Amino acid sequence: MGIRGRNVRRICQRYGDKLRYATLYDSSRRIALYSAYSFKKSDGQRRMDTPWMYEPQLVTADENGNMRVLPSSGEIDPLIEESQALLADYIDAVEYERGQLNPDQHQADNQDKASTYTLTNVVPLITDLLEGPWGAYTDMLRRRLNNFCHGVAYVVTGVTVSGLTIQREKEDRIAVPKHLWSAYCCPRFDNNSPYDVRYMFPTYAAYASNAIGYSVTEVPLKTLEALLKNQTDVDKSASIFFKHCVS
């Protein structure tokens, strides 16, 4: 479904006065369209003590501001509620969980992990997908890049948007993704890796339908581009990543 004319903005996600990763965010539909990040070799442990944060860059003109801890529900500035998703939006969304596009399991440093807990890095995913096939794929990709990528690996994970929304008090609050997709680029990889892994370097991709009963399909980048090419200009802007990886 098209999103032309929507309020879409690129965010440099900052935490602890340091740029951590980049996100393309649709404020009118309160959903992250994709997050692009550097993968860090990780043991896959999640950081359990991090409060959820919001993005002040969507509220003010300050593009160098750090993400901040969400205030309690009674103290939230209306400008925050207007510009991005809140924890309250997920309370009655019983079919969905908050799915990180840049998952903390793909980061090693505690501050990098903490920076993934912002609602501008989150999309509503069907619980069965997030806890099942997509969770398994995320961990498998972590192990693949840990074992066979010798340099920096770059990952971009995003969504295509359906016509469904999550409502709160009869107000449309968050767009529901139709597809979840991801692509990675590892310029320096192990040329002696097993064949069933080697052909997936330097780049490969994956996608899944955000629905019950669907698995994750791994595909070449061109196949993913074909899936996205009829989407909106926003989705096509992710192709810059693809062209960079294969050039």
Side-chain angles (χ1 to χ4, degrees):
M1 183 172 180
I3 50 177
R4 300 178 192 278
R6 296 284 177 173
N7 185 12
V8 175
R9 181 170 171 183
R10 291 175 176 83
I11 306 170
C12 295
Q13 303 270 26
R14 301 183 69 90
Y15 181 85
D17 295 321
K18 181 180 178 181
L19 173 62
R20 305 290 169 169
Y21 57 100
T23 296
L24 188 67
Y25 196 80
D26 182 350
S27 290
S28 61
R29 292 191 175 187
R30 303 178 186 89
I31 189 174
L33 298 175
Y34 61 76
S35 284
Y37 60 95
S38 297
F39 171 86
K40 311 296 195 311
K41 291 185 182 294
S42 168
D43 59 9
Q45 294 297 312
R46 303 196 66 175
R47 180 164 177 169
M48 306 301 293
D49 60 346
T50 307
W52 284 97
M53 291 173 281
Y54 74 96
E55 183 48 70
Q57 294 180 54
L58 295 175
V59 180
T60 71
D62 182 8
E63 296 186 357
N64 297 313
N66 290 309
M67 57 186 73
R68 300 174 187 170
V69 175
L70 275 166
S72 60
S73 58
E75 301 174 354
I76 292 178
D77 187 322
L79 291 177
I80 299 175
E81 185 166 16
E82 180 181 341
S83 66
Q84 55 204 276
L86 302 176
L87 291 174
D89 296 323
Y90 286 87
I91 291 177
D92 295 324
V94 293
E95 292 184 298
Y96 301 98
E97 295 287 344
R98 299 182 295 268
Q100 295 171 311
L101 297 182
N102 173 9
D104 67 338
Q105 300 100 311
H106 283 188
Q107 303 298 327
D109 179 85
N110 277 338
Q111 288 204 324
D112 283 337
K113 285 180 176 289
S115 72
T116 67
Y117 286 87
T118 170
L119 293 181
T120 51
N121 179 48
V122 160
V123 297
L125 297 182
I126 291 287
T127 301
D128 286 357
L129 174 67
L130 180 60
E131 296 182 356
W134 193 259
Y137 170 75
T138 298
D139 189 60
M140 181 277 298
L141 180 58
R142 177 188 65 81
R143 289 183 277 109
R144 179 185 298 167
L145 296 178
N146 272 353
N147 293 332
F148 302 111
C149 185
H150 289 172
V152 178
Y154 306 97
V155 184
V156 57
T157 300
V159 299
T160 65
V161 182
S162 73
L164 301 176
T165 59
I166 292 174
Q167 292 189 331
R168 174 161 57 90
E169 297 176 355
K170 298 183 178 180
E171 176 190 0
D172 290 339
R173 286 290 301 171
I174 309 175
V176 174
K178 180 179 181 181
H179 296 99
L180 181 62
W181 56 267
S182 186
Y184 65 85
C185 173
C186 171
R188 293 181 56 237
F189 59 94
D190 185 356
N191 288 293
N192 296 316
S193 57
Y195 174 75
D196 61 351
V197 173
R198 189 167 65 251
Y199 77 91
M200 295 180 175
F201 286 96
T203 61
Y204 221 64
Y207 70 92
S209 293
N210 188 30
I212 295 174
Y214 284 85
S215 60
V216 176
T217 302
E218 287 200 90
V219 294
L221 284 178
K222 288 187 179 298
T223 303
L224 179 61
E225 285 186 292
L227 174 70
L228 299 178
K229 71 178 182 178
N230 292 323
Q231 302 296 319
T232 68
D233 291 338
V234 169
D235 294 309
K236 289 176 184 177
S237 68
S239 66
I240 295 172
F241 170 85
F242 304 149
K243 288 182 174 65
H244 172 75
C245 284
V246 299
S247 60

